[in-house]
Amino acid sequence: MIGKTVSILDGNTFIVTDERGDMSPSPAFPTGLFYFDTRFLSVWALSINGQRLSALSKDEVQYFETHFFLVPGEPTHYVDAKVSVIREQSISADFIERLTVLNHDIKPARFTLRLDVSSDFADLFEIKDVRRKSGSTSVQREDGRLRLCYTREQFRRETIISSSAAARVDDGGMCFDIVVESRGSWHVELRVQPIIHGARAETGGGVWGAHRKRRLSQQLRRDLEHWLKRVPQLSCDYEPLQTAYERSIVDLAAMRFTTLSGGMPIPTAGLPWFMTIFGRDSIFICLQALPFAPQLAPPVLRLLAALQGSRLNDFREEEPGKIPHELRYGESAAFQEQPHSPYYGSADATPLFVILLDEYERWSGDAKLVRYLEHDAREALDWIDEYGDLLGNGYISYWRRNTVNGLENQCWKDSPDSISY
């Protein structure tokens, strides 16, 4: 059973740790470092002189950065701790951890700092459904770096861990033998880089990650500041309302991500399972945010139009003019073990697409986008009449064509038990 977790994210890249900042694989909950639906780190555990650490406190600085204040051993050791660790974790496409070891003793001290590292490269669907991997994993040590690899035919994923300080690297992690002077400190920065080889047709193949533009935490802060300046400002005498509004605006910023093909950020459906484009959910977010952030709508409308169905496909439940329900980037989608490449099992995403296009123009006056997407909107309207109206009564109905792993309920709420009778 998993305890309390801490999450940080930058779009589709997110981390879920325990309250110490450690990661350990859970068979039922997505803990670890995830990037485009794949877990690139499943174990990330810190120890000093063989002792795991305990949390004194944590500071969730921003949605992309958390600081942990730790000491070795159990809570009973807190009072007499002669060493403590400040652990600063941030995410900016890459995962960065800055460690500061503090010696509180009156004499120098030697420490062995150990970081256990591994990756199972699990697909999100493999965590939900607990499946075994079909590919092979390997570990390489090169120039003080640790390279974790996963290969299944042309599907390749890698995790590269590097350090700003010299380390003893083995297949299971890194060790640092350090001496800290009395009342002194020691610092190291660790960088974890997830790499996608041979990404799907969206990118035209190649390597994604090795040469992508770095998004440093300073850039993320500037991006957030720019976002906050663009939304309406609220001033009122009722502090809880002011706080709730400001928190909601920041949370909305945190839910944005950029697809593998680039472009403007779009809202995801939510951490941890749904950090990707969802037709219904992304449209709902845009509709509800129109008075505050209408700029979210155009990239969502353009992407959904680009993915609009063009043929009949029972496995993906695709039909001409139909707006997709969900797009995934992981192994199970790449090998068509899941239909999410994209999957179209949604009865309401298509009419919602037309509604969002209309409402966006009402709020923004951007008729140019409507003209640009006119053909796609007409295709969506044709789907409503031809494929959506299964009973010929003027209402949209649905039935599951993918009876293996398609959604049984294709409206909101779409969980298997949402409609009892």
Side-chain angles (χ1 to χ4, degrees):
M1 183 176 181
I2 191 167
K4 292 183 178 180
T5 60
V6 179
S7 302
I8 57 174
L9 70 157
D10 172 24
N12 192 273
T13 312
F14 67 92
I15 292 171
V16 181
T17 72
D18 62 20
E19 292 189 295
R20 301 169 294 183
D22 284 343
M23 307 174 198
S24 57
S26 165
F29 190 82
T31 53
L33 165 63
F34 288 84
Y35 180 64
F36 283 96
D37 298 326
T38 297
R39 179 157 60 190
F40 283 81
L41 275 182
S42 53
V43 173
W44 185 261
L46 188 65
S47 62
I48 287 187
N49 294 339
Q51 278 191 308
R52 296 290 294 275
L53 305 177
S54 296
L56 291 173
S57 64
K58 67 177 184 297
D59 181 7
E60 298 182 52
V61 180
Q62 198 44 268
Y63 61 81
F64 47 81
E65 184 174 2
T66 299
H67 297 173
F68 302 87
F69 303 90
L70 312 168
V71 291
E74 297 301 320
T76 52
H77 297 178
Y78 284 0
V79 177
D80 195 31
K82 291 184 172 57
V83 60
S84 63
V85 177
I86 301 174
R87 191 175 199 178
E88 304 172 45
Q89 294 183 346
S90 61
I91 199 159
S92 52
D94 293 346
F95 166 47
I96 298 170
E97 177 161 289
R98 298 178 182 89
L99 296 174
T100 301
V101 180
L102 300 165
N103 178 15
H104 305 291
D105 206 346
I106 58 174
K107 56 186 178 181
R110 293 181 177 272
F111 302 106
T112 298
L113 186 145
R114 168 78 183 177
L115 192 67
D116 292 313
V117 177
S118 71
S119 175
D120 57 6
F121 293 97
D123 185 293
L124 265 176
F125 284 97
E126 294 170 335
I127 298 171
K128 292 181 76 171
D129 301 334
V130 192
R131 302 180 193 171
R132 300 183 65 180
K133 299 297 292 180
S134 300
S136 60
T137 57
S138 61
V139 180
Q140 300 173 19
R141 288 171 275 168
E142 47 186 40
D143 300 324
R145 300 190 305 173
L146 196 59
R147 183 185 293 265
L148 314 177
C149 309
Y150 177 78
T151 304
R152 179 183 174 186
E153 298 177 18
Q154 301 303 312
F155 185 92
R156 293 175 56 205
R157 300 291 185 263
E158 291 185 349
T159 305
I160 299 176
I161 301 105
S162 58
S163 166
S164 64
R168 289 187 287 112
V169 180
D170 56 67
D171 288 356
M174 294 180 169
C175 275
F176 301 87
D177 298 314
I178 60 177
V179 177
V180 184
E181 296 300 320
S182 169
R183 314 297 188 189
S185 61
W186 177 86
H187 308 270
V188 67
E189 179 177 292
L190 303 159
R191 182 182 293 272
V192 181
Q193 182 181 4
I195 297 179
I196 294 176
H197 290 267
R200 288 214 314 265
E202 226 190 346
T203 59
V207 178
W208 183 265
H211 308 293
R212 68 180 183 272
K213 182 180 179 182
R214 300 290 180 204
R215 292 191 69 198
L216 303 177
S217 57
Q218 293 90 342
Q219 292 174 295
L220 285 174
R221 289 189 179 92
R222 287 195 296 268
D223 174 72
L224 179 59
E225 290 172 2
H226 178 67
W227 166 267
L228 293 174
K229 288 178 181 178
R230 292 189 65 181
V231 301
Q233 304 301 306
L234 175 65
S235 297
C236 65
D237 295 331
Y238 187 55
E239 186 177 350
L241 176 60
Q242 177 102 22
T243 302
Y245 177 76
E246 292 172 354
R247 180 72 260 171
S248 298
I249 292 298
V250 172
D251 288 347
L252 188 59
M255 291 180 67
R256 300 168 301 156
F257 90 108
T258 303
T259 67
L260 281 176
S261 56
M264 296 296 292
I266 60 176
T268 66
L271 188 79
W273 297 113
F274 308 116
M275 297 301 291
T276 186
I277 180 75
F278 271 72
R280 175 195 306 117
D281 302 70
S282 297
I283 290 172
F284 275 155
I285 292 169
C286 290
L287 281 169
Q288 294 169 352
L290 278 174
F292 313 100
Q295 67 270 23
L296 287 175
V300 168
L301 288 165
R302 290 193 186 98
L303 178 58
L304 293 177
L307 297 172
Q308 190 173 32
S310 60
R311 59 187 178 130
L312 293 173
N313 183 306
D314 286 348
F315 177 66
R316 300 197 300 174
E317 308 212 37
E318 179 183 0
E319 293 163 337
K322 196 174 186 181
I323 294 299
H325 169 63
E326 180 180 358
L327 174 65
R328 292 291 185 175
Y329 301 89
E331 180 180 352
S332 60
F335 287 91
Q336 296 193 358
E337 296 162 351
Q338 296 284 344
H340 301 79
S341 56
Y343 176 57
Y344 292 82
S346 169
D348 50 4
T350 306
L352 284 169
F353 171 83
V354 181
I355 291 170
L356 176 60
L357 182 60
D358 179 54
E359 286 297 316
Y360 168 72
E361 191 276 335
R362 287 173 186 263
W363 282 92
S364 68
D366 185 2
K368 183 179 179 180
L369 182 65
V370 177
R371 286 191 291 270
Y372 178 77
L373 297 177
E374 178 182 354
H375 174 74
D376 308 286
R378 292 187 182 279
E379 289 285 304
L381 292 170
D382 289 342
W383 177 87
I384 292 172
D385 291 335
E386 184 174 351
Y387 295 98
D389 187 5
L390 293 175
L391 302 179
N393 59 3
Y395 290 91
I396 292 178
S397 304
Y398 63 85
W399 63 287
R400 182 171 59 159
R401 290 159 52 202
N402 177 347
T403 57
V404 177
N405 49 15
L407 290 174
E408 183 176 352
N409 296 314
Q410 300 188 2
C411 57
W412 179 256
K413 188 168 180 286
D414 58 21
S415 57
D417 59 350
S418 64
I419 299 176
S420 299
Y421 303 104

